[in-house]
Amino acid sequence: MKKTKKHSGAFMHRVSEIIVDKRGIIFIVVILSMIFSAFSVGWVEVENDLTKFLPDGSSSQIGADVMFEEFTLMGMAQIMVANVSLDEAWEIRERMQAIDGVQMVVFGEDKSFYNNASACYTLTFDYPQSDARCEVALDEIKAMLSGHDAYVSSDIGNPIGDILDKEIVLMISVAAVMILLMLLLTSKSVVEVPVILLTFVVAMVLNMGTNFIYGKISFVSNSVTSLLQLALSLDYAVILINRYRDASKRLPLRESVVEALEKSVPEVFGSSLTTMGGLAAMMCMQFKLGPDMAMCLIKAILFAMLSVFVFMPGMLMVFGKALLKTQHKSLLPNVSFIGKFAYKARKVVAPIFVVIVIAAMFISNACPFSYGYTNQEAAKLNDQTLAKKMITQNFGATNMIALLVPSGDFEKEAALLAELEAREEVGSTMGIAGMEIINGYTLTDKLSPREFSELVGLDYELAGVIYAAYAASNENYGSIINDISKYEVPLIDIVVFAVDQIDSGLIDLEGMDMSGMGDMGSIDMGSMGGMIDTSDPAALLGEAKELLDTALSMTVGENYSRMVIYLNLPDDSDETFAFIEEMKDIARSYYGDVDIYAVGMSTTSMDFKGSFQLDNFIVTAVSIIIVLIVLLFSFKSVAMPIILILVIQGSIWINFSIPSLMQTPIFFLGYTIISAMQMGANIDYAIVIATRYNELKGKMDKRSAIIETMNFAFPTVITSGAIMSITSLLIGYMSSEATISSLGINLGRGTIISIILVLFVLPSLLLVSDKLVEKTSFKLFKKKEKTQESDGRVRVSGRVSGEICGWIEGDIDAVIDGNVSLNLHSGELNEEKEVD
C-alpha cells in the first residue's frame, strides 16, 4: 500500500496545506482575537465634528484651536416650545431659569423669540459643554417640557453619537437579512450562506476591534465601514467557495480545500488591488476625512482577505460534506439574451454610449455642490435635525460667526461691533464691549463714583474710596488730587476691583450704615441674568462679579477677545464667503496687520470649498492611474484597461449628472469619495466579464463567446453588485446624518448604474474593440522556456508542452509518475519525495 506523501511543491501550495492542517490552532487564535476585539471596540474614540478633519493650516481650524484654548465655551441649547401663549412662554422661561445648572435663558417678545404661537429660548449652562452636569440639567428641562410640544437642539451629551450607535445596529441587522436573502438567491448550496456570513462576522469584529490603533476615527468611518467591508469584499468568499466546488468534483475533501485556497489567493489579490487602489487614492486628500475613511476601509478589506484565506478554509473542512449535500440548482436565470443583444446591437450601443458619456461628463461638471449643512437633509430625520428644522422654519436660520481679535482694548471692540452692526449683512452682534450687565449698563460703560453708587446701592463716600483706591492701584494720582467725582472707570473694571477689595477685607460693608440708600428693590441684571431682589450691595456686587467672570471666560482670553456676529446671510454662499473676508479686513483696520480669525459654519464651508477642487482632481487622477496600472499588468493590453475604466468612469459621470439635472445640491464630500470608491470597487464587475471573454474568444466564435461570458459572469456581477447597492442604499435611507446619508445614496445609485453599463454596454464595447485590443497587446518580458526532464515522481503546475509517455500541451496541475520531458512555458516543475 502506498504511503501518504508530503508535497514539497509550490510555496503557495505548502502554505495552503499548513492553513488547512493547522485549522484547530487557527480557530483558537480567532476565538481569542474575537474576545479581545469585543473589549477593545470600546477603546475606539469617535470624532463627531467634521471640522476636526480640515486640512492642517486652514484658517477656520486654527481659529477653532485658538478659541478652545483661550475661552471657556459653556454648554448651550436652543429650545422651541410650540402651541403656547405669550404668558405661558414667559412662565416656561422662568421655570427653566430656576433649574439648577442653568445660567441664563434668553427670551423676548419680538418675532425672533415668539412667532406662530411658538417660543424659542436660547439657554446657557453654568458648565462647559463637556461637563456631565450640563446633560443632567438638560435632562431635567426635557422632563419639565414633557407635557409640551417641545424641540431641543443641543450638542450636549453627544446626541448624534448616541443616535448613530443605534442606527448602526439597525442598519447592520437589516443589511444582514437582505444579504442573507440575496445569498440564498444566488448561492448553489444552502450551507455556503452561513459559512460566508460567519467568515465576515469574524472579519467585521476583528476590524472594529482594531480601530483603536488609529486613536480616533470619524463618525462617518465608524458608521459605514462594517457594511462597506461586507459589500466590497464579499466576492472574496464567493471565489473560494466556487473554487472548492470545482475541486470537490475530482478530489477528496482536504485536497479540494487546499487546491481551492491555492488558486483563490492570486484571484482574490487581483480583485482586491483595484478596490484598495481606489481607496488608496483617498489618502491623497487634504481634507483628512478621506484618509480616515481610506485607512479604515483598507484595513477592513485586509481583514476580510485574512478571514477568507485563514479562517474560511477551516470552515470548509468542517462543513465541506454539508456543502456538497445541500447543493441545489442556481435560482438565477440564464441570461443568454444579454449576450445575443450585445452581439446584435454592438455597432449601435458603442457609439450611443460614447455620446452619452461625453454629455454626462459636461453635465456632471455642472453639479451643484453644498459645502455646509443648511442645504443637506438626510432621508430620515432624527430628533436633532427635526428640532433644527422646526426652529429654522419658525424663527429663521441662524448664521453665527465668532470673530477673534486681539484683546485689551474695549473701546476698539465697541467701535468695531458698532460698525459691523450697521451693515445690512449683519443681524446683531455680541461682545464684551456691548454686553449688558446691570440696569441697561454694558460692561464697558464708564461710570463716575456717583453713578456707580446709585447703580449698586453703595454709600457715595465708600464709592469714592473705592474709586480712589482703584486710581492709586493704576498710578492715576492726578484723578485723586483733582476731583475723584469726575473720574470715570469702565463698569467691568470697577466691579472686579470692588469685589476683590471686599473679599480681601480691605473694604468692610457689614459695619456701614446703608439706611440712607433706601430699598433698591429689583435689580435687572441685563442680558447676563434675570431680576435680583436685593438691597444688599455686597450681594449685588458678588452676583455681578460672578456673571462678569462667566462673561470674561467666554469672551476675553489671554491674547484674543471673542465677538459673536449673527449674519443675515446663508452659511454656504459666495456672498457670505466674500463678506467674511471683508469683515476680517474691517477688523484689521482697527488692529493693524495682525491675525484675525473667523470661526463658524460658514468659515468651515469656505475651507471645505477651498480643499475640494484640488482633492477631487487628485483623487480622480490617482484612482484612475492606480487602476490603470493594475489592469495593464492583468490584461497586457493598452486598449483593454482604457475600455474598462471608460465604462466605470462613465457610470460616475452619469451618476452625478442626475443631481445636476435636478439641481439638487450634493455634499461636496460625496463626489470625491464616491468617485474613488466606485472606480475601485465597481471595476471588478468589468474585469470578470473582460477576463472571461478573453479566455473564450479564441476557442469559439465571438457570438458564442459573449453569450457564454455573460452566462458565466452574471451570477458574480449581480451578487456582488446587488449587495453593494443594497448595503449602500440602506446606509443612505436609514441614516439620519446628512453626510452619511448622502454617501450611501450616491454610492448605491452609482453601483446600480455601473451594473447596468457592465451588463448591457461593456459586452458590445468588447466585441467592437477586439482588433484594437489585439494591436495594443504587449509582453512585459519574454520568458525563456526551460526543458526539464525527470524519471521520478514530480508535480507539474503551469502551462507546459512536451511528452509524458506521449505528447501533452495545456494548463495542468498534476503529479506524474514516469519519464517526463517538458518545455515549461510558465509555472514550475518540482520533484516529489516519498515519506515513510
Side-chain angles (χ1 to χ4, degrees):
M1 184 174 177
K2 272 191 172 179
K3 302 276 188 180
T4 301
K5 302 186 177 175
K6 184 178 179 180
H7 295 156
S8 58
F11 172 76
M12 197 60 241
H13 182 82
R14 294 198 299 271
V15 171
S16 299
E17 287 184 318
I18 293 172
I19 291 173
V20 172
D21 294 339
K22 303 297 183 183
R23 59 187 178 278
I25 296 175
I26 291 172
F27 286 159
I28 293 173
V29 172
V30 167
I31 291 171
L32 293 176
S33 300
M34 293 276 283
I35 294 172
F36 171 79
S37 295
F39 287 98
S40 63
V41 72
W43 305 345
V44 180
E45 294 183 63
V46 179
E47 178 58 68
N48 294 310
D49 184 1
L50 283 183
T51 63
K52 300 296 184 182
F53 297 93
L54 283 166
D56 293 329
S58 62
S59 177
S60 59
Q61 183 60 62
I62 295 173
D65 291 340
V66 169
M67 190 166 68
F68 282 104
E69 287 174 6
E70 298 223 351
F71 307 104
T72 301
L73 302 180
M74 299 299 183
M76 298 189 70
Q78 198 171 19
I79 298 176
M80 172 183 153
V81 181
N83 304 312
V84 291
S85 67
L86 185 57
D87 289 341
E88 288 175 317
W90 277 111
E91 189 267 335
I92 290 172
R93 187 262 183 199
E94 296 305 317
R95 288 168 62 193
M96 287 194 291
Q97 182 69 66
I99 289 177
D100 186 35
V102 176
Q103 184 180 100
M104 66 174 171
V105 180
V106 178
F107 180 67
E109 297 188 6
D110 60 50
K111 285 191 173 183
S112 60
F113 295 105
Y114 186 79
N115 189 37
N116 297 329
S118 299
C120 185
Y121 309 93
T122 300
L123 284 74
T124 303
F125 294 88
D126 287 327
Y127 319 106
Q129 181 174 302
S130 57
D131 195 309
R133 289 174 292 182
C134 285
E135 189 173 359
V136 172
L138 186 59
D139 287 342
E140 189 174 344
I141 290 171
K142 290 178 180 178
M144 185 198 81
L145 297 173
S146 59
H148 296 274
D149 187 8
Y151 302 89
V152 180
S153 175
S154 175
D155 291 332
I156 291 173
N158 189 24
I160 294 298
D162 294 339
I163 291 168
L164 290 178
D165 286 343
K166 295 176 183 177
E167 289 180 351
I168 291 171
V169 174
L170 180 60
M171 282 189 286
I172 290 177
S173 301
V174 175
V177 173
M178 298 296 291
I179 291 169
L180 176 63
L181 294 175
M182 193 65 207
L183 287 175
L184 287 172
L185 177 65
T186 59
S187 68
K188 294 183 180 179
S189 171
V190 175
V191 175
E192 72 181 52
V193 176
V195 170
I196 291 173
L197 290 180
L198 187 56
T199 299
F200 275 93
V201 167
V202 170
M204 182 176 67
V205 173
L206 294 181
N207 184 60
M208 291 173 63
T210 54
N211 278 334
F212 71 90
I213 65 174
Y214 297 132
K216 184 178 287 188
I217 63 174
S218 70
F219 69 91
V220 179
S221 298
N222 189 56
S223 299
V224 305
T225 297
S226 295
L227 286 172
L228 290 181
Q229 177 189 31
L230 181 59
L232 291 169
S233 53
L234 185 72
D235 52 339
Y236 305 162
V238 174
I239 288 171
L240 182 56
I241 286 280
N242 289 339
R243 286 291 187 182
Y244 168 75
R245 191 186 299 117
D246 292 339
S248 64
K249 295 175 183 177
R250 50 189 170 77
L251 295 172
L253 177 60
R254 177 186 176 277
E255 284 70 22
S256 297
V257 178
V258 170
E259 181 179 300
L261 178 58
E262 182 182 357
K263 291 186 175 181
S264 295
V265 169
E267 195 172 346
V268 170
F269 267 119
S271 176
S272 66
L273 281 176
T274 55
T275 303
M276 289 194 289
L279 296 173
M282 291 161 55
M283 297 287 291
C284 303
M285 290 175 62
Q286 297 178 87
F287 185 41
K288 289 178 286 187
L289 182 63
D292 177 82
M293 289 189 67
M295 289 189 298
C296 290
L297 285 169
I298 288 174
K299 180 166 69 69
I301 289 174
L302 291 175
F303 268 111
M305 287 196 293
L306 182 66
S307 185
V308 168
F309 292 156
V310 178
F311 174 71
M312 191 172 173
M315 296 291 291
L316 291 177
M317 288 295 295
V318 173
F319 294 101
K321 293 181 179 178
L323 279 167
L324 299 178
K325 288 181 180 179
T326 59
Q327 283 186 344
H328 58 77
K329 291 184 178 180
S330 174
L331 299 178
L332 291 177
N334 188 291
V335 291
S336 297
F337 71 92
I338 295 179
K340 294 176 182 177
F341 167 80
Y343 186 79
K344 288 183 178 180
R346 63 191 184 281
K347 295 183 180 179
V348 177
V349 170
I352 291 176
F353 170 71
V354 172
V355 172
I356 291 175
V357 165
I358 293 173
M361 178 180 66
F362 288 104
I363 295 172
S364 64
N365 285 337
C367 185
F369 296 110
S370 171
Y371 303 97
Y373 291 99
T374 302
N375 295 326
Q376 289 298 302
E377 189 172 292
K380 171 185 173 184
L381 294 179
N382 56 45
D383 291 342
Q384 282 286 302
T385 52
L386 177 61
K388 290 178 181 178
K389 183 176 182 178
M390 292 298 294
I391 292 171
T392 299
Q393 285 179 351
N394 286 275
F395 300 97
T398 301
N399 188 4
M400 184 183 75
I401 301 294
L403 188 65
L404 308 183
V405 299
S407 61
D409 193 328
F410 293 137
E411 290 186 359
K412 285 183 179 179
E413 289 183 36
L416 174 57
L417 286 171
E419 181 173 349
L420 290 176
E421 194 155 1
R423 295 291 298 265
E424 64 179 4
E425 295 93 343
V426 176
S428 62
T429 63
M430 186 178 73
I432 193 70
M435 193 173 291
E436 183 184 337
I437 184 169
I438 304 176
N439 277 356
Y441 284 98
T442 65
L443 291 171
T444 55
D445 285 343
K446 292 184 176 181
L447 278 69
S448 66
R450 172 70 65 185
E451 292 170 323
F452 181 66
S453 68
E454 292 175 352
L455 177 64
V456 299
L458 195 64
D459 181 79
Y460 172 69
E461 291 182 0
L462 181 57
V465 172
I466 294 174
Y467 266 66
Y470 178 86
S473 68
N474 287 277
E475 300 182 356
N476 193 348
Y477 301 109
S479 297
I480 302 174
I481 296 172
N482 295 328
D483 187 357
I484 195 67
S485 66
K486 296 181 180 179
Y487 185 40
E488 294 185 337
V489 179
L491 180 58
I492 184 174
D493 293 334
I494 199 63
V495 168
V496 172
F497 182 78
V499 173
D500 287 344
Q501 297 298 300
I502 294 170
D503 289 344
S504 63
L506 296 176
I507 296 177
D508 182 14
L509 297 183
E510 295 294 329
M512 300 220 39
D513 182 11
M514 301 293 176
S515 59
M517 294 304 299
D519 185 4
M520 292 295 296
S522 295
I523 302 295
D524 183 2
M525 296 303 289
S527 62
M528 292 299 296
M531 303 294 292
I532 296 180
D533 184 17
T534 180
S535 57
D536 183 354
L540 178 59
L541 285 172
E543 181 73 15
K545 172 66 162 51
E546 183 180 339
L547 294 172
L548 184 57
D549 287 342
T550 299
L552 288 171
S553 69
M554 292 191 295
T555 57
V556 180
E558 182 179 351
N559 302 297
Y560 287 90
S561 286
R562 176 173 171 260
M563 305 174 181
V564 177
I565 316 297
Y566 292 92
L567 302 181
N568 296 324
L569 298 170
D571 66 0
D572 180 12
S573 73
D574 292 336
E575 182 185 3
T576 305
F577 301 158
F579 181 71
I580 289 173
E581 292 299 331
E582 185 180 353
M583 189 166 60
K584 291 164 72 173
D585 289 337
I586 292 172
R588 290 190 186 95
S589 70
Y590 286 89
Y591 294 95
D593 189 16
V594 296
D595 290 329
I596 304 291
Y597 298 107
V599 182
M601 185 59 69
S602 290
T603 60
T604 301
S605 299
M606 288 175 64
D607 285 336
F608 283 162
K609 184 177 182 179
S611 66
F612 168 66
Q613 291 183 338
L614 181 59
D615 276 349
N616 187 53
F617 173 78
I618 291 176
V619 169
T620 301
V622 171
S623 63
I624 289 176
I625 290 171
I626 292 176
V627 172
L628 180 62
I629 292 172
V630 172
L631 296 182
L632 281 172
F633 279 89
S634 299
F635 289 98
K636 298 179 179 62
S637 167
V638 175
M640 183 64 82
I642 294 175
I643 293 169
L644 302 187
I645 289 174
L646 179 63
V647 170
I648 304 303
Q649 185 61 46
S651 72
I652 294 172
W653 285 329
I654 294 171
N655 185 23
F656 289 109
S657 292
I658 295 173
S660 182
L661 292 171
M662 297 177 66
Q663 283 301 295
T664 304
I666 65 169
F667 195 47
F668 77 101
L669 190 62
Y671 192 95
T672 304
I673 291 179
I674 297 308
S675 296
M677 293 183 65
Q678 201 174 332
M679 176 58 71
N682 295 172
I683 195 76
D684 285 348
Y685 313 154
I687 292 173
V688 170
I689 293 175
T691 301
R692 187 64 174 177
Y693 177 69
N694 276 354
E695 292 174 357
L696 295 178
K697 68 180 181 180
K699 302 176 182 179
M700 57 187 74
D701 62 90
K702 291 182 180 181
R703 182 178 182 277
S704 300
I706 201 65
I707 292 173
E708 181 63 29
T709 293
M710 298 314 297
N711 282 329
F712 168 83
F714 181 74
T716 301
V717 173
I718 204 66
T719 302
S720 183
I723 289 175
M724 182 72 174
S725 56
I726 288 171
T727 303
S728 300
L729 292 174
L730 282 175
I731 292 172
Y733 287 103
M734 294 186 68
S735 176
S736 59
E737 208 292 321
T739 305
I740 297 173
S741 178
S742 176
L743 288 174
I745 291 173
N746 284 287
L747 182 57
R749 184 179 62 222
T751 300
I752 292 172
I753 295 171
S754 294
I755 294 171
I756 293 172
L757 293 187
V758 163
L759 291 178
F760 295 98
V761 174
L762 178 60
S764 295
L765 295 179
L766 293 175
L767 288 165
V768 299
S769 62
D770 260 339
K771 291 183 179 178
L772 181 61
V773 170
E774 293 297 330
K775 287 182 179 179
T776 58
S777 296
F778 61 88
K779 291 185 178 179
L780 295 175
F781 55 86
K782 187 174 181 180
K783 188 173 181 178
K784 291 183 179 180
E785 296 179 358
K786 297 180 290 183
T787 300
Q788 298 188 14
E789 297 184 0
S790 175
D791 59 0
R793 181 176 176 84
V794 297
R795 167 175 285 275
V796 180
S797 176
R799 180 168 180 78
V800 301
S801 63
E803 187 176 344
I804 307 176
C805 296
W807 186 262
I808 184 172
E809 181 174 1
D811 292 323
I812 68 170
D813 183 7
V815 175
I816 303 169
D817 279 314
N819 296 324
V820 175
S821 178
L822 298 172
N823 292 323
L824 194 64
H825 303 300
S826 66
E828 53 189 21
L829 181 149
N830 297 286
E831 291 187 359
E832 293 285 316
K833 297 179 180 179
E834 292 191 6
V835 178
D836 293 330

